[in-house]
Amino acid sequence: MNPDNFGSQLPTLRGPDLSLRWLTAADLPALMTIFANPEVVRYMATEPLDTREAAERYLLSIHEGFQSGGLYQWGIERDGAVVGTCTLAGIDRDNRTAEIGFALGREHWGRGLILRALPLVIEFAFNTLQLHRIGADADPRNSASIRVLEKLGFQREGLLRECYFHMGEIQDAALFGLLQPDWRASAYCPPAD
Ligand SMILES: CC(C)(COP(=O)(O)OP(=O)(O)OC[C@H]1O[C@@H](n2cnc3c(N)ncnc32)[C@H](O)[C@@H]1OP(=O)(O)O)[C@@H](O)C(=O)NCCC(=O)NCCS
């Protein structure tokens, strides 16, 4: 039973031209299109989803994360197709924190989509889950991701040296944090009603 009493699935979060919604088995082909591409997962904590079985295991972990309440992952739907995902992982209700993650299918990069999707997740984290802090980490070479985080108002807080072994290489992680007051001051935070 989900600890936030969301019933059987995550609430849909709606933006002007996209929505964040619950992922189902019907989305397995879309998940494979997004995450089979090594360019997309190069700096992510996931291996390329290059078989249907790998995609099914990935979807199962999303559904288990929802049940336990530790991981909420939405599909980004635009024009009827899932083009990426946004995630709150490591949701810690005692400390009121979580880690944010995001990815777009390669053909959807460069259009500002993620900067329209992530504010919906951040608002959900601070308003619905009543979190106080959202963390993120990014490989220091992942310039697009770092630019996205900084535009949203995340502050760079440090560097973990050589903390991941992923896709055959050792990777560093630049650490970022967004506190609720940082978000309220961000240009991407919607005005209060
Ligand atoms: C991170 C990701 C979602 C960004 O999406 P995107 O659609 O390319 O982002 P945008 O087009 O909105 O660009 C965001 C900003 O980054 C900049 N940017 C994009 N690619 C860049 C690059 N290679 N180098 C430097 N800056 C870059 C853009 O110019 C823009 O800044 P600006 O508005 O000031 O010009 C996308 O690259 C992705 O899915 N990457 C793979 C998954 C991943 O690494 N996720 C993050 C794990 S921490």
Side-chain angles (χ1 to χ4, degrees), residues 71-160:
L71 178 141
Y72 290 163
Q73 185 163 358
W74 291 262
I76 305 171
E77 183 178 304
R78 187 170 149 79
D79 298 331
V82 170
V83 298
T85 73
C86 294
T87 309
L88 290 172
I91 300 170
D92 177 343
R93 291 168 185 76
D94 294 334
N95 291 304
R96 298 201 284 139
T97 64
E99 300 289 312
I100 203 162
F102 44 89
L104 291 174
R106 181 65 187 88
E107 66 274 32
H108 301 285
W109 292 10
R111 298 182 197 162
L113 271 182
I114 207 70
L115 283 162
R116 303 207 285 287
L118 288 173
L120 303 172
V121 177
I122 295 169
E123 282 284 291
F124 176 87
F126 287 142
N127 297 337
T128 305
L129 297 183
Q130 294 279 297
L131 302 184
H132 181 67
R133 173 192 160 85
I134 301 173
D137 72 57
D139 187 294
R141 297 167 294 177
N142 193 352
S143 311
S145 174
I146 289 173
R147 183 85 185 116
V148 164
L149 291 168
E150 288 178 339
K151 285 189 94 160
L152 290 168
F154 282 77
Q155 295 190 25
R156 195 186 282 242
E157 298 176 335
L159 179 77
L160 289 179

